[in-house]
Amino acid sequence: MEQNELYPIFLKLHNLNVLIVGGGNVGLEKLSFLLKSSPNANVEVVAPDFHLEIKVLAEKHPSIKLTEAKFKKKMLKKRHMVIACTDDLKVNKRVYDLSRKRYLICNIADTPDLCDYYLGGIVTKGNVKIAISTNGKSPTTAKRLREFFEEIIPDDINQMVENLNEYRRTLKGNFEEKVKKMNEITASLKNRE
């Protein structure tokens, strides 16, 4: 059986520099997805012209910069993460190849072989965030799972997280003892019937 070998991480996009190459519908989708989870993400979008909604997002989010130009390799300087989503496959492949030479992680929209990462489904309820991946095979399945988790996870879960965080700060002892106590307290979450 095939297994998903992706390693999930949660990036602080307000501390990183992201470049999106492409200002059309897919660029809008990628930018919207990033901003939904990270409203203060540092993102520069480069394209000869922009979808109107990208301009609207840039007005609402001061950390978004729009550069009306064709992609040039110098635009990869001081970047951490790159997304290419133009309608020109040669441009997308060039962005990928240049990113790899600079050890930048890169995602070429709708081209899994040219992706170092995928933008999966995300469920957010306060401080709780769940990322969902189908290994790039079925975005629709990730979407349905996201909808399922959004429905099943209670809206007040954030209060529980805050309460447990406060309690955790009062615990004494070594790391092992603290973990044991927190496991005892949260065991009822696992044993729900």
Side-chain angles (χ1 to χ4, degrees), residues 80-157:
H80 298 101
M81 186 170 139
V82 180
I83 298 170
C85 47
T86 73
D87 56 6
D88 186 333
L89 297 175
K90 286 173 71 174
V91 171
N92 291 346
K93 177 77 166 91
R94 182 167 176 258
V95 170
Y96 179 78
D97 291 340
L98 291 169
S99 294
R100 297 294 291 165
K101 285 180 183 174
R102 288 166 176 75
Y103 300 98
L104 301 173
I105 60 172
C106 188
N107 173 290
I108 305 302
D110 297 323
T111 315
D113 290 345
L114 299 181
C115 291
D116 299 313
Y117 62 93
Y118 303 126
L119 304 173
I122 296 175
V123 178
T124 304
K125 298 257 182 146
N127 286 300
V128 175
K129 188 168 283 200
I130 299 170
I132 302 161
S133 167
T134 60
N135 213 14
K137 304 249 184 226
S138 177
T140 302
T141 300
K143 176 184 175 183
R144 294 296 174 231
L145 286 169
R146 177 185 53 80
E147 291 168 348
F148 170 75
F149 284 119
E150 284 174 343
E151 196 174 299
I152 168 174
I153 296 171
D155 289 333
D156 63 351
I157 194 164

Side-chain angles (χ1 to χ4, degrees), residues 50-62:
F50 299 99
H51 190 291
L52 178 60
E53 289 184 50
I54 289 178
K55 293 177 181 180
V56 170
L57 282 174
E59 287 176 15
K60 290 180 184 174
H61 298 269

Side-chain angles (χ1 to χ4, degrees), residues 14 34-42 60-64 129:
H14 61 278
L34 290 177
L35 293 174
K36 182 179 178 190
S37 269
S38 302
N40 296 308
N42 287 315
K60 290 180 184 174
H61 298 269
S63 61
I64 304 303
K129 188 168 283 200

